[in-house]
């Protein structure tokens, strides 16, 4: 399993103090002891329902996500309420479902979750590209083309559809490409697919 990039991020507990409504956060949530938290397609679908449910209560915006079997990533902004509140609802709703379905009585998630502020536009491009490439970076790749992986937001960038979730924004990242003429990429898809691991160094200064 490929871990997220940790950039001096805060635990979820301290997020109550550091939340900034205008800033996107790279959130990583893992299964306790790296156990699987999604066992089949129905589980992935239920997690999506938890996102929809929470969005109706406290609107938020996601510009990139990826769900793997034992963890998930969100690049998310919560403008109205602390992000801690949003994630608490999402995680609790899904955890309750998982425990009922599988008669699971243990702790589902790791005690410490991580949320890293990403304030620079280029940082958003880099972190979102990292998130979208995760299915390629596991020990055994889940796909050979990131647009074919079903449990990430990348498919919405490749093909704009009216049925994309209301909490997904696919306009912001492409607009950054247009704003920075020094970026050598035809569009966001080109930037994302050409992103390489060695470019992670830029995240340290552009987040």
């Amino acid at each position: 399993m490929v871990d997220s990039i940790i950039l001096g991020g805060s635990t979820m507990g301290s997020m109550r103090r550091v939340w900034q409504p205008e800033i996107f956060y790279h959130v990583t949530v893992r299964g306790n002891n790296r156990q699987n938290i999604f066992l089949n397609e129905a589980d992935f679908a239920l997690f999506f329902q938890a996102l929809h449910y929470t969005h109706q209560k406290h609107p938020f915006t996601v510009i990139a996500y990826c769900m793997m079997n034992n963890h998930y990533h969100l690049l998310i902004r919560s403008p109205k309420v602390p992000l801690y509140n949003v994630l608490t609802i999402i995680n609790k709703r899904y955890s309750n479902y998982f425990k009922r379905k599988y008669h699971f009585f243990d702790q589902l998630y790791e005690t410490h979750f991580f949320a890293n502020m990403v304030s620079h536009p280029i940082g958003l491009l880099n972190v979102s590209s990292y998130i979208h490439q995760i299915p390629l970076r596991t020990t055994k790749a889940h796909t050979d083309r990131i647009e074919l992986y079903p449990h990430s937001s990348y498919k919405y960038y490749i093909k704009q559809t009216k049925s994309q979730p209301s909490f997904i924004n696919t306009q912001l990242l492409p607009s950054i490409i247009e704003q920075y003429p020094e970026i050598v990429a035809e569009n966001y898809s080109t930037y994302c697919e050409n992103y390489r691991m060695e470019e992670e160094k830029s995240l340290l200064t552009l987040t």
Side-chain angles (χ1 to χ4, degrees):
M1 189 270 285
V2 178
D3 291 341
S4 72
I5 306 170
I6 302 302
L7 306 174
S10 58
T11 64
M12 292 292 290
S14 63
M15 188 189 296
R16 301 183 191 190
R17 300 189 298 273
V18 302
W19 166 69
Q20 296 185 36
E22 74 281 6
I23 298 296
F24 279 91
Y25 289 77
H26 176 195
V27 172
T28 308
V29 176
R30 303 186 186 97
N32 191 35
N33 296 320
R34 298 178 184 262
Q35 68 192 14
N36 285 347
I37 58 176
F38 305 112
L39 304 185
N40 51 46
E41 292 298 316
D43 294 346
F44 286 112
L46 199 288
F47 183 78
F48 235 67
Q49 290 180 25
L51 291 174
H52 280 288
Y53 172 85
T54 308
H55 181 257
Q56 291 175 350
K57 288 182 169 293
H58 304 300
F60 55 84
T61 300
V62 170
I63 57 175
Y65 73 82
C66 185
M67 296 179 286
M68 304 296 286
N69 291 109
N70 64 355
H71 70 293
Y72 71 80
H73 295 257
L74 299 174
L75 190 49
I76 181 173
R77 181 175 75 92
S78 176
K80 301 296 185 182
V81 300
L83 184 56
Y84 174 87
N85 296 13
V86 170
L87 294 170
T88 295
I89 296 173
I90 294 170
N91 288 332
K92 184 176 181 180
R93 190 168 181 85
Y94 181 76
S95 176
N96 288 344
Y97 151 83
F98 188 96
K99 290 180 178 182
R100 286 195 305 270
K101 180 177 180 180
Y102 297 109
H103 306 288
F104 184 80
F105 301 100
D106 236 337
Q107 180 174 308
L108 183 60
Y109 309 115
E110 282 187 346
T111 302
H112 295 292
F113 309 145
F114 292 91
N116 307 297
M117 300 169 78
V118 187
S119 58
H120 195 286
I122 303 299
L124 293 175
L125 289 176
N126 290 345
V127 173
S128 67
S129 297
Y130 172 84
I131 290 172
H132 286 142
Q133 285 200 18
I134 286 172
L136 298 177
R137 299 181 176 195
T138 53
T139 303
K140 182 179 180 181
H142 288 250
T143 181
D144 58 353
R145 294 167 54 192
I146 55 178
E147 67 268 24
L148 297 181
Y149 186 70
H151 307 302
S152 90
S153 51
Y154 190 67
K155 57 182 175 288
Y156 299 119
Y157 288 95
I158 294 298
K159 184 178 181 181
Q160 298 286 334
T161 66
K162 293 182 179 180
S163 60
Q164 76 179 42
S166 56
F167 52 84
I168 296 289
N169 180 330
T170 56
Q171 305 303 313
L172 177 59
L173 294 173
S175 73
I176 294 173
I177 299 288
E178 298 173 359
Q179 293 170 17
Y180 286 80
E182 67 271 24
I183 295 177
V184 183
E186 181 179 354
N187 50 41
Y188 174 69
S189 297
T190 302
Y191 187 99
C192 185
E193 292 178 8
N194 290 336
Y195 177 77
R196 294 293 179 265
M197 288 290 285
E198 57 267 23
E199 295 174 20
E200 288 174 4
K201 294 179 181 178
S202 63
L203 292 174
L204 295 172
T205 57
L206 293 176
T207 57

